[in-house]
Amino acid sequence: MANMINLLMAGLATGAIYALVAIGFTLLWQTSQTINFAQGEFVMLPAFFVLAALNLKAPLWLALLIGLGASLLVLGALFKRAVVDPMLRHGVLPLAICTMALSIFLKEGVKESYSAEASPFPSFVPGGNVSLLGAQISIQSVSIFVFALVVVFALQAFLMRTSTGRQMQATAQNPSVARLLGIPVERMILYTFLINAGLVALASFLVSPVYLAKFSSGETLGLAAFIAAIVGGFNQIRGAIAGGLLLGVVDNFAAAYVSTQYRGAVPLFLLIAVILFRPQGLFGRAEERTV
Amino acid sequence: QSIKLISVGELSGPGATVGTNFKNSADLAIAEINAKGGILGRKIEVTHYDSQSNPGVARALVQKALDENPYALLGPGYSGSVKVTAPLAAQAGVAQVMGGEAAELTQLGFGTLFRTSFGQQSSMPKIAKYLAEDVKAKTVALVWVNNDFGKGGRDMVTKELTARGVKIVADLSTEAGQADFAADVVKVKNSNPDAVFVYLNEEESARALKELRRQNVTAPLVGETTLLGQKVIELAGEAANGARGHVGLTVDAPLPALQEYGKRFQAKYNYVPDHNGIKGYLGVYMIKAATEKMGKIDPKGLPEALKGLTISAAAEPGILMDLTIDKNGDLDRESFMGEVVNGKQVIKTVLPKMNK
Amino acid sequence: MAGPILEVRDVRKRFGGITAVDGVSFEVREGEILGIIGPNGCGKSTLFNCILGQLRPTEGRVVLDGQDVTGLRPSEINRRGVSRTFQLLQVFPQLSVRENLILAGQEHKGSMASRLFGKRDAGLTPEADRMIAFFRLGHLADEKAGGLSYGQQKLLDAAMAFMAGPRMVLLDEPAGGVNLTMLGHLEERLRAINAEQGATFVVIEHNMDFVMRLCTRVVVLAEGRKIAEGTPAEVRANQTVIDAYLGH
Amino acid sequence: MGANAATLRAAAFAAGLLFLLLVPLGLSRYGVYIMSLWAVMTIAAMGLNLTLGYAGQVSLAQGAFVGIGSYAVAILSTNGMPFIVPLLVAVGLSFAIGWLLGYPALRVQHHYLAFVTLAFSTLVYLVFRNEEWLTKGIYGIMGFKRPTIFGISTATPLAFYYFCLAMLAIATAFLAWIVRSPWGRAFVALRENPVRALSLGVDTRRYTLMAFAIGSAMGGFAGAVYAPLVEFVDPTPFTLALSLNILMMVIVGGSGFFFGPFLGAAIAVLLPEWLRFAHGWYLVIYAAFVMGLLIYSPTGLLGVADRWTANRKTRRASAERAAASASLSPEKP
Amino acid sequence: MSGSKAAEPVLRVKDIVAGYGEMTILNGTTFDVRPGTITTVIGPNGAGKSTVFKTIFGMLKARSGSVTFKGQDITNAPPRRLLTLGLCYVPQGRNIFPELSVRHNLELGGVSAGAGVDVPARVEALMERFPMLRKKSGQQASTLSGGEQKLLEIARSLLLDPQLMLVDEPSIGLSPLMVQEVFGILKDLRQKGVSVLMIEQNARSALEISDDGLVLELGRTRIQDDAARLLADPRVGQLFLGGVVGDAA
Ligand SMILES: Nc1ncnc2c1ncn2[C@@H]1O[C@H](COP(=O)(O)OP(=O)(O)OP(=O)(O)O)[C@@H](O)[C@H]1O
Ligand SMILES: Nc1ncnc2c1ncn2[C@@H]1O[C@H](COP(=O)(O)OP(=O)(O)OP(=O)(O)O)[C@@H](O)[C@H]1O
Ligand SMILES: [Mg+2]
Ligand SMILES: [Mg+2]
């Protein structure tokens, strides 16, 4: 029993990390119909902005601010301007592939210009553990969990309750009609990418103390988050939480009770059951009427 | 005219950390040698090719390297990549000084293949012996990374432990880059072993140590260089205390030469090299020593010159520690048993060369 | 005229809490031209989708040639000689007009394997070109269908339904957006096929002139139910129909 | 004018063929090896181009099929079978597994399908790595020979290159036949508008399964050539990264264009090699180039060419319309 | 009515050349819309009617020629500007946000409303007018029937109190009752001084409520005249109205 709780808690902690990154996937999809295969690298990069600032002897708070600013600029505005804008009209795949190239670009770029080594990353959350149901969980994990929840509910409310949020969704679903109604399409898309950039920066600051700052740390993270987003139902932000936590927990239980050798695949196949049973994902809306 | 070395290594992909350490250290060694006038008065020139951690690409690049008539080849670091490329080097008769640790590599009889570290066939018996005789473990749980490095070690240690009558009660494969070791540690706990053998890369070692401590595993944690190196201590903090095991190559070894090397490396690259770094460094000095023994720049003669060569640190400080290369291309030299105490690696015993 | 080619028996379709089609029954006799009319959102298109397998009815049966075809896949129903057009534009945007038409006919000849070994156009180019000429799309034959105007796409959709020489065609608002001259043309064509080949038509249409001229019988739906059935003249005079649908 | 374009295309084709036949004569062994790798990757990408580019079914598993083909050949060849047997097994096995992989596609689409194929790809990798009794696990399989065809050994790099080229020619001819048959049109219908296709009697289920099966079989075929090229098969090349790379080849070359994979594979295989002069930065430059290319032409390299010819055609049609329009005089009733 | 030449046209389209990519569809289209009138555009399929509207509304670029609205040059002006000037546009086909609810679709029509406009109140008023919209306000818009979607679009365009409405075939998919309703709305708008430019294939009904008529063919204005006269013109009937309309009038 203690084992079970231990596994559950550890799974939730990892799952919260996946969820945090997965939110970005669903956000981008829901508000601009883009899939960003560089999302993992987007989480990796802000940590290096911070490290670079720290190397220049900036205090931690300032370094984090600089990291956030740089992310908004590079991963938000610049990404949107240089990569997304020219490709948005051409469907999902070319842009997805382009972001795949971007992920190579960022990964290799960081490796060459900074280091191939993992660097420890300072945590702005206090260390230590709290005891919960007999399991020790780090405060870091708890804060990631809480943060992910807060972000999801805030974003959900923003998209659903505010006019700007709905304009963003409208832009994604039918940009030409949105333009025709006078929705500032460009600005809506920019908001989307700025929010995403802020999100990945914060995710980066929370996750890097656990995962370490390393050029390749986005690989597994990005993939896991992609899966979490799909399982949650790609077009629902709150699905990302469910998907992330489910993936984290299932992964741990599968490794403990099914097979460690096949750990990479067992959870995926269990989650495929979810997808085949509910093709729109756990929380997703059914596809629109086609005829 | 300069001496041309070509290095093919894992500079991107999953092995990037391995390959980059190897490359940086090789560069360091070459810079040092060139600063002192080179080998036999000739400067060394090196080209690095990136195998993307993919054996197929490595093969292509070794072919490319051989097309360029190098003096010797450095790398790769992944045993699989070594295995596909070794036949090409052998066919061309060019010495290949590489980083792979899989036991079988030097038993395939290529004749041009040379290690820069212990193969697992030398390190694992030492660990098995330590587990059986010093720790007096009757049962052991294995936690290993499922790539050619980890699997090779696991297979070897399993053989050695079984031969000594030690029972393997848990055999846990983990993934490279794995972040969450909760499930593995639960399994370790459930198997209730006398000792745990942990054979992972440095980062994963750190994470595994943290999780082992979190779940209060009290059995001794035994491993190789990758469990108790400086890097692991840096990443795992407190959790590293008590980890112990065999140390083949580490900058923390109680040898001034090794520590000096570590400092030079850190000064140049701003991080602590791991054992793969030392491999790249030694590789270059092995070539230097063999060449000087021959007294001429002769690529075809280099493999023969390397075989059976004993290099003393007194004569060639760059070799860091006396070593002997046997006729298969395996290394022999002293190694250590160490333990992490209060965030520092402490060497407990010095293990002599095997064939003294 | 022969007996019913199609029987719709008490078909019901629910979407969550919404009942779009609420127990509709009627027959289509071989060789007739049946009109289906009714206010917006009364379930006409949903009914078509249920008949043709695009949707599975929640309840009720669809019987074709005396065989129960409820829940069969659209492709199977199509291969029994029933084709259709769509209310909202449904063409293959990246294929040329001619390719659209060939595609519409190719699956009706031979088996899947024989198609692999057969001619590239399955011998359908002449027929496709006849269709193109008839619908006055000649200058657009090699254009991508996605670049046609609304009415042209509508015509292409109709042309596709005729490619395989069907026994029965279900048309969902064929007149919408089609120029009147062209519509007259289409009407003649329908009549001709009906007379010469005995093909059966079921037409959903809001253009009452078109319905009155063309149809031999009309079924009226409102709020998912059948509220009237009869000749065009009868229906037009029916007060319920006037109130619910026609207006004054 | 249509004839003009056709001649142009024929000339380009002939020139390309001549180039492929002659180019190895000017290359080092390494260059020849890379060209062989290009041929292999082109075959794999052509398969995915059928599944994705023509039929519109997203698959992240093409790399797994290359792996399945490679392992089939490696395992059977080490057991001493003549090359043709392992080759047929590789293709047949991939076809069958690809068919099965198509079933989820009948239920889910887009990113959900991407996920399912991704899971499959992960599973296949793990099977290669873990089922040691069959695959020798992480250590890989070595010691099988390059085939001897009609008594001619393909052991030398040059001979093997021509062997790869011949295999590429077979694959090309086969695929050309498929997409030029009515099947090709049905595949495109699947991509463009499955709902309409279904109502026109297109058995979308069977075509979907076929698209997966044939595409996968070509992946297996590529694998069957890959194994003797590298003369070593281990699990590491067949991770998800390979599938993604093949996907990139398809998109960069021009998804849904017959010769797209040729160009896409050239970019993905040859370009990094040309960029090696940039040392550590070569992948950065490569990635930047690919991004730039896609930003310039999201429809891929052949998309540019297609747009160009389409524009020429349109200009002509436009002129005709203008002339007809000019002949209409405004009437005053 | 064509006699009232005094008033400056509210919309003047002059020598417009436009098209898609390399394809030129409009080869110098010219016409005027008088203030407070309904003008109906008819013509064969593919004549370029929708293209004219798209060009006026800034969705396609005019390569040459000019569009003036109340004396202001609005050639190639972006939609947002046109909306604030008082133009609105209901395109042909399906133009909704499929995954948003009916109510949200409707509300988005008010995005470019000025500060003083009470959008919720107007939404309420429209729902009063089209009870269907209220009944289905929470439903995802894509699940509406074809005709219901069109009504939603028309309602949405009314949210901004336009001064000139461009409507592309409003009658497609609408039941006769609904067509009457919509045409009634257009007439009411005219009453309030709003001008309407409408494309219709349902030409008889449309011309009957129109003041002016316009025949477009191959991207050019063939005829522009009083609607009643156009309806009566046998040549127009023969060529564009299926040959039956002329007699009917
Ligand atoms: N997938 C769905 N989910 C929920 N409601 C639906 C769905 N599909 C259709 N409906 C509802 O069913 C009703 C009937 O729709 P249908 O399209 O059949 O109407 P119709 O008679 O064809 O109308 P029109 O003349 O406007 O085309 C509509 O009220 C619509 O809102
Ligand atoms: N998106 C497009 N791309 C290329 N060509 C187009 C496009 N849309 C329309 N066309 C072409 O422009 C011409 C005019 O189209 P338009 O839509 O303006 O016609 P229309 O008069 O509105 O016809 P309809 O009555 O059928 O709606 C047609 O010949 C069509 O082929
Ligand atoms: Mg309908
Ligand atoms: Mg139009």
Side-chain angles (χ1 to χ4, degrees), chain D residues 106-119:
Chain D
L106 302 177
R107 217 173 137 68
V108 296
Q109 284 285 314
H110 311 301
H111 27 272
Y112 301 108
L113 182 56
F115 167 56
V116 173
T117 54
L118 180 155

Side-chain angles (χ1 to χ4, degrees), chain A residues 56-101:
Chain A
L56 295 174
K57 305 278 180 282
L60 181 60
W61 66 268
L62 182 62
L64 290 174
L65 268 186
I66 293 176
L68 179 64
S71 304
L72 290 176
L73 213 64
V74 176
L75 303 178
L78 183 66
F79 175 55
K80 183 241 169 207
R81 188 79 197 77
V83 178
V84 177
D85 277 355
M87 304 194 65
L88 202 54
R89 286 176 305 115
H90 292 89
V92 181
L93 262 181
L95 183 53
I97 301 299
C98 196
T99 58
M100 249 163 62

Side-chain angles (χ1 to χ4, degrees), chain E residues 2-104:
Chain E
S2 58
S4 57
K5 287 220 171 67
E8 176 82 352
V10 59
L11 182 79
R12 164 159 273 176
V13 174
K14 198 158 184 325
D15 291 326
I16 285 289
V17 176
Y20 306 88
E22 296 285 327
M23 181 82 185
T24 309
I25 299 296
L26 306 179
N27 293 294
T29 315
T30 302
F31 62 87
D32 290 344
V33 177
R34 294 181 298 134
T37 62
I38 299 179
T39 306
T40 293
V41 184
I42 61 172
N45 294 121
K49 304 183 292 297
S50 302
T51 308
V52 173
F53 276 30
K54 287 186 217 167
T55 313
I56 295 173
F57 214 73
M59 313 296 284
L60 282 178
K61 203 171 140 13
R63 284 185 222 132
S64 68
S66 68
V67 185
T68 1
F69 175 66
K70 290 190 172 165
Q72 279 191 65
D73 182 26
I74 55 159
T75 323
N76 294 329
R80 204 174 162 75
R81 164 138 184 266
L82 301 176
L83 287 163
T84 41
L85 284 176
L87 273 84
C88 77
Y89 170 39
V90 185
Q92 200 166 15
R94 182 184 194 230
N95 303 284
I96 52 158
F97 303 111
E99 289 182 31
L100 293 181
S101 71
V102 169
R103 174 183 287 278
H104 289 164

Side-chain angles (χ1 to χ4, degrees), chain B residues 68-87:
Chain B
E68 293 168 23
N69 294 317
Y71 181 61
L73 294 172
L74 291 170
Y78 269 22
S79 301
S81 295
V82 171
K83 215 155 52 169
V84 268
T85 55

Side-chain angles (χ1 to χ4, degrees), chain B residues 27-262:
Chain B
D27 283 344
L28 178 67
I30 289 165
E32 287 172 13
I33 293 171
N34 284 346
K36 291 193 187 137
I39 302 176
L40 301 176
R42 286 166 56 178
K43 297 262 194 269
I44 310 173
E45 179 191 294
V46 66
T47 313
H48 294 279
Y49 291 134
D50 171 21
S51 76
Q52 300 165 4
S53 310
N54 178 338
V57 179
R59 185 181 163 99
L61 291 170
V62 165
Q63 184 63 261
K64 178 181 171 84
L66 293 170
D67 285 350
E68 293 168 23
N69 294 317
Y71 181 61
L73 294 172
L74 291 170
Y78 269 22
S79 301
S81 295
V82 171
K83 215 155 52 169
V84 268
T85 55
L88 296 176
Q91 205 178 13
V94 172
Q96 182 175 14
V97 183
M98 54 80 186
E101 299 195 5
E104 61 169 334
L105 293 176
T106 44
Q107 284 144 28
L108 295 169
F110 290 117
T112 48
L113 199 58
F114 299 92
R115 286 191 203 278
T116 49
S117 66
F118 286 125
Q120 284 155 343
Q121 79 281 18
S122 358
S123 55
M124 289 306 149
K126 295 179 184 178
I127 291 176
K129 181 159 167 282
Y130 176 75
L131 279 167
E133 292 170 15
D134 296 325
V135 183
K136 303 210 181 344
K138 294 269 172 294
T139 56
V140 170
L142 308 181
V143 181
W144 45 283
V145 54
N146 204 335
N147 57 23
D148 63 350
F149 163 75
K151 183 74 167 38
R154 175 258 178 203
D155 287 357
M156 203 50 136
V157 88
T158 305
K159 198 175 105 198
E160 295 290 333
L161 284 173
T162 318
R164 288 175 171 80
V166 180
K167 235 177 99 195
I168 311 288
V169 287
D171 185 17
L172 305 172
S173 100
T174 69
E175 301 297 328
Q178 185 170 319
D180 187 350
F181 284 85
D184 308 285
V185 174
V186 161
K187 283 186 146 178
V188 167
K189 271 184 92 171
N190 288 348
S191 69
N192 199 19
D194 295 340
V196 187
F197 173 68
V198 183
Y199 199 57
L200 307 168
N201 295 324
E202 281 86 349
E203 286 164 52
E204 288 83 357
S205 290
R207 294 187 184 124
L209 285 171
K210 281 189 184 171
E211 185 66 26
L212 284 158
R213 296 299 179 218
R214 203 173 62 78
Q215 294 197 32
N216 291 321
V217 172
T218 46
L221 309 177
V222 180
E224 238 277 342
T225 317
T226 53
L227 184 66
L228 52 162
Q230 186 61 39
K231 184 122 224 153
V232 182
I233 297 170
E234 184 185 327
L235 300 176
E238 297 254 301
N241 287 340
R244 53 181 105 164
H246 177 246
V247 182
L249 288 166
T250 155
V251 289
D252 330 308
L255 287 175
L258 265 170
Q259 287 166 354
E260 279 305 311
Y261 150 78

Side-chain angles (χ1 to χ4, degrees), chain D residues 181-253:
Chain D
S181 79
W183 281 30
R185 197 180 291 109
F187 286 144
V188 175
L190 218 56
R191 174 189 82 194
E192 292 279 299
N193 192 342
V195 172
R196 187 59 173 126
L198 206 53
S199 78
L200 291 171
V202 179
D203 189 339
T204 50
R205 294 168 71 96
R206 268 208 256 170
Y207 278 110
T208 305
L209 297 177
M210 267 299 168
F212 267 96
I214 299 174
S216 306
M218 295 202 49
F221 186 57
V225 187
Y226 180 81
L229 172 67
V230 183
E231 294 179 282
F232 172 68
V233 174
D234 79 336
T236 48
F238 308 118
T239 55
L240 186 63
L242 179 61
S243 294
L244 294 179
N245 202 13
I246 296 174
L247 178 63
M248 186 168 83
M249 294 177 200
V250 171
I251 302 291
V252 166

